[in-house]
Amino acid sequence: YADLVMDETEVSESALVRDILFVCQGIDGRYVRFDITSDCYGLPESLKLPRSTRTMVRKLCELGWLFRKVRGYITESMSSFPAEEVGTIGQAFCSALQDELSDYYKLLAVLESHSSNPIPTPGSISGVQGNYLSLRRLAVWLAEPMVRMRLMAVLVDGCRALRGGAMAGAIHGRAHHGDPLVQEFMGRLLRRVCSPLFEMVRSWVLEGELEDMFAEFFIQSQSVKAESLWREGYQIQSAMLPSFISPALAQRILRTGKSINFLRVCCEDSGWAAAAAEAAAHVGTTTRRGGIVYGETDALEALVVEAAKRIDRHLMDVIHKRYRFKDHCLAIKRYLLLGQGDFVQYLMDIVGPELSEPANTISSFQLAGLLETAIRASNAQYDDHDILDRLKVKMMEHNDGDRGWDVFSLEYDARVPLDTVFTASIMKKYLRIFNFLWKLKRVEHALIGVWKMMKPNSIISCIFTKEGASVKTQFVSVLRRCQVLWNEMNHFVTNFQYYIMFEVLEVSWARFSEEMDAAKDLDDLLAAHDKYLNSIVEKSLLGERSQAIIRILFILFDLILRLRCHAERWFERIFELQLRGTNKSRTKTKEPGSWLDGGRKALMQHAREFLRQMGEDLDKIAKEYSSSLDSFISQLPVQQHVDLKFLLFRLDFTEYYSRLSPSS
Amino acid sequence: GSKPFSMDSFSRGSNNVIGSYPVSVQELLVIDDLLSALVGIEGRFISIKRVKGKECHVVFQIDPSMDLALQELTERIFPLCQDYVLINHFVESKSQFKSGLVNHAFAAALRALLLDYQAMVAQLEHQFRLGRLSVQALWFFCQPMMGSLHALSTVVEKASSNNFSGATTLNLLQSQAKAMAGDNAVRSMLEKMTQRASSAYLAILERWVYEGVIDDPYGEFFIAENKSLQKESLTRDYDAKYWIQRYSLKDGIPSFLVSVAGIILTTGKYLNVMRECGHNVQVPLSESSKLMSFESNHHYLECIKAAYDFASGELLNLIIHKYDLMGKLRSLKRYFLLDQGDYLVHFMDISRDELAKRPEEISVEKLQSLLDLALRSTAAASDPCHEELTCCVERVPLLKRLNALKDLDTTDPSVNNKPTSDTDLQSELLNITGLETFCLGCKVQWPLSLIIPKKALTKYQLIFRLLFHCKHVNRQLCMAWQVHQGFRAVKILKTPILRSSILCRSMLKFINSLLHYLTFEVLEPNWHLMHDRLQTAKSVDEVIQFHDYFLQKCLKECLLLLPQVFKKIEKLKSICLQYAASIQLLVPSVYVPEVATNDAVGPFVQGKSKPQRSRNKNQQHEVAAENNIINDSIMKFGKEFNEELQSLAPILASSSQAEPYLTHLAQCILGLGSDQ
């Protein structure tokens, strides 16, 4: 039998075993060689071997093939370490693989020593060493490394193109395996691979440092100006976000580091270090390196949550206490949104005449002086100097024919770090609101002016008592119409102003201050402020969707202003007439001359003519006004915002308008 | 990355036939081949044939020229080889990622077993090399492995042919272990396999039961999450399925968990509710509560029970104390069931004009601000929920709405099925006003919306609409009654006023006793019953059940589910309304001047001149004519009312057998009937 076996096999089994041990390290053996064309190890066909041995060898050689692949990847990455392609996480991956391989080398060394023991034959019964190696024994030895090597090969295949957080995520994706062996192996590997990542998270969360040379971290920084640091300075790279860190957690991580940076850069504050240390102490992991490892996502989350909580609290403290955020918001509401009534009234009084001039003749210095006067004269003088200093007059760009009214506005200077909240675009929104409110105020002011002019006319009317009853009735009727129109306008403006001031500004402010107190971090605060501002813009018809209706509203305002202009002229004439009339009555008692009589007739004629003219003008304005108001009211229900329906029902409380035009 | 290796038999290299050797040599050769065959490798004289049609199923064949006795001996060992090949294939294929955690774990356990097996083969080889092994000895050494490998191979075959994964694999293993109960060794081996295969599964279960998280990448767990169902749907949709279908049981529950699957599902559901509330609750873990195994000592059942108790207690505590369920229910009762009705009186006073309009003309905003006014200026302002109240105006009358809600299981199907003609509907729609269709709404926050979903709120609204309308009828009748009070000083004997005031009184009594029945006989006792039961509730599901039961019972006893009776009541109410309206219109126009002239202030009348007297006479003619009209109409109303009321009696009597509460109603209303 032995002869027969010898006859069939050209190569001894121990030689093959030794060959395979070489192959397992990626080295060609004496008989077993790597065949490039078929991409596998194999025995040359010419070698005479039994079929079973051949199959066995081929099976064992799979390990060598896998090894080649893994080692190929490692050497490839190692050679490009300093370059940017691999990155620290790739390095960690490589070194973890390397460690696994060194375990494997150790096994091979042991096997090597076994292989030198001779394979026993039936003859040599005595002195047999138990730990020799045959092909079958080798198969038993190598079964477990084979599983591991296969896994590594799969990972290498899967991660070849990836880097950074994406690589960690990809490896994590393969960690879900029911096999305890695989689980343990993957756990070990991931702990190594993720340690640089967790280190980055730790230093970012506790120190605000981005230690990311190869752009592997899922947070990316951009160099921006201090004011937009918060909004644009740092972004999450979703491609680099490994799947074991949830987006919410990532957001929180981002915000924590951002807060630290914000405190450091914008607020020049250093109290955050104490907060971070406290957070770290609370969690239990020291602020040393390598505190957190993979698998303890809970620990990571706890650390991040604690750090976030403390640092956010500190940041809010700084914002509220040192930079007095709420005071500034309140100041903006009081001055820019016209919340401080006496100041606004006084400012309107003294600035009004100035603003009627053409825009290019107005000096902003003078306006600044007037603003100062208004502050002095109103309760605003008791306000904080810091706040008052920030209030400035701003002249907008003006075209030909613009009046001062069109370009005047107030401005509030929010300095670092509050300009993170009050950015330029936000201030622009405030400006729009201010302009709108200012216009509303002006219209109201104008209406009050008309009222002041009309008031003395009840006395004037007595001049027509004696003669010309027809003129008197004409006068009374015109005056009455004028009063009715004024009343209608006043009703509209008062209600509209009520709506803006109470239903819009105050309600929004109440909500905002509630949310401001509840805000736990700067993002909440920004969101609350944005919501506040947007709700004001939306509700006061300044939004995108209500452009049509705001145009009608401005037409209404223009009509009211026109009424004021006309009224000024009319009452000037009326005063004139009155003067002449009283003169006459006085002179009449003295010397009733005939020329006077003629003059009187002319006067009456004149007055009749004037009153007719005035009535016509009045009718025209009234007609335009009522048609515009109609379309305004008909547009109101179409608006999206629910609160506008309240405005409608307030304007139309007695259902006068809806009864007036039931058809439409 | 594994290289494929073929198991096909290829043409033998040597032309030697084994039969040409002596038997002792044949034996040595065949042992060498057998050792290869045991690990699935073809030898010189043993070849592997693939069976057609079945994947990975192979048959070993031996060279027929061999010594026959040796052949027989060898062939006895072949089943073992075949089993090995089968199991090995399973291990290779099921270790891939997509086959699921349970299969991974099972394959790993199998691999460990196969490693033992290979080691055994290597030991045999050692013996062989020392020249101590005969085929007979080989057969002997293989014996212990044969039974277990065979049992496993049947399992594996079933699992891979049916593509089992997850729970089905576990079930298969377990049933196989039970089926092999006779063979102790095999049975314990299979049980060990089950144990190891289920460890991954138990980890999933543990996360669900202790944290409420489904961590199931391969879809093996028996609980499915339907992410498309949002919790907001509870307050929006009438038929919201959130609570029932958000998490549901799938097919393929492992047999050892079947009995507790429901409890497991609810436990995780409760934990999820708490998480959605922002409460990060974790079941306190101790070593003893770890779900390590599911052996026969039922430790795992206790663990699951403990987790369930904790979760349900915690959630109940959260809902009842933190979110103040009872307070919410109490304020719902206050507003919808008119517990403290002063706000409603105020509201009806100020919104009378608005509500008298047609539903589509009513401005809901105006109603809302009126409602706010009413709420803030009455005792309701002290209720914490008064800001959450909204109002809405529906388009269809209550009866239509009831018919539309099919699933309230109205007891009279004939009425439901009878289609109402379109014209009928049209005319009905034309006649209704806001008074018929006004109803309240209420914002319910998560997680209270679990207990008060849209459906429950709708039921509250139905009851509210009924009560609201009854109140309205009552007010109208009171107004009519006031009209009659003007005649107290007048002699009204034999005038229609007398008749009218009697009718008015009986109508008032009817509506008052109806209201009394609804509130004191139905709503109050039922509410107290529910209140007491809620105090003893053990879990949220019980709370939901009690609350639903309460609503259903109230709806039923408020007659809303008995269309026959309810239609009669509606008809009676509409007669009352018509009567009240016509009285308020007719009587003042006719009688007040008469009173003024005939009786009121004597001297003033005498001061009048003659022509006026004659005019008075004229007027008296007219009055007489109108008197007749009024007389007729009052007679008509009275007749109609009494007829309807009497016709109600037999209906109530007949159905009071089935619905005992109707006797109460009959006593209330028909007690009045017998008075007359």
Side-chain angles (χ1 to χ4, degrees), chain B residues 413-427:
Chain B
S414 64
V415 180
N416 265 352
N417 296 338
K418 200 165 59 188
T420 39
S421 61
D422 266 358
T423 51
D424 199 20
L425 188 72
Q426 283 300 323
S427 65

Side-chain angles (χ1 to χ4, degrees), chain B residues 310-325:
Chain B
F310 174 82
S312 94
E314 197 75 2
L315 180 61
L316 198 64
N317 192 21
L318 191 73
I319 282 190
I320 288 196
H321 292 117
K322 172 137 187 253
Y323 291 94
D324 195 20
L325 174 70

Side-chain angles (χ1 to χ4, degrees), chain B residues 235-246:
Chain B
T235 49
R236 272 201 316 264
D237 305 340
Y238 178 73
D239 289 317
K241 302 265 191 304
Y242 178 83
W243 185 241
I244 303 168
Q245 291 186 355
R246 166 85 186 196

Side-chain angles (χ1 to χ4, degrees), chain A residues 4 8 13 40-41 51-52 56 59 62 65 121-122 132 134 136 143 150 174 176-179 645 649, chain B residues 1-3 5 10 21 36 41-44 92 95 97 104 108 111 115 125-126 129 218 365 369:
Chain A
L4 201 68
E8 249 184 324
E13 193 166 355
C40 63
Y41 285 95
R51 205 156 44 139
S52 56
M56 201 77 185
K59 275 189 171 183
E62 187 193 342
W65 184 80
T121 50
Y132 63 93
S134 68
R136 293 198 181 90
R150 263 187 214 162
R174 290 183 168 78
H176 268 291
H177 203 282
D179 189 342
K645 293 200 174 149
F649 124 79
Chain B
S2 78
K3 282 191 304 177
F5 69 97
F10 45 87
Y21 301 110
S36 296
I41 295 172
E42 281 184 311
R44 268 160 291 208
E92 300 276 323
S95 298
F97 279 100
H104 293 163
R111 188 187 299 122
L115 201 61
E125 188 202 9
H126 180 62
R129 287 191 196 276
Y218 304 106
E365 290 75 29
S369 63

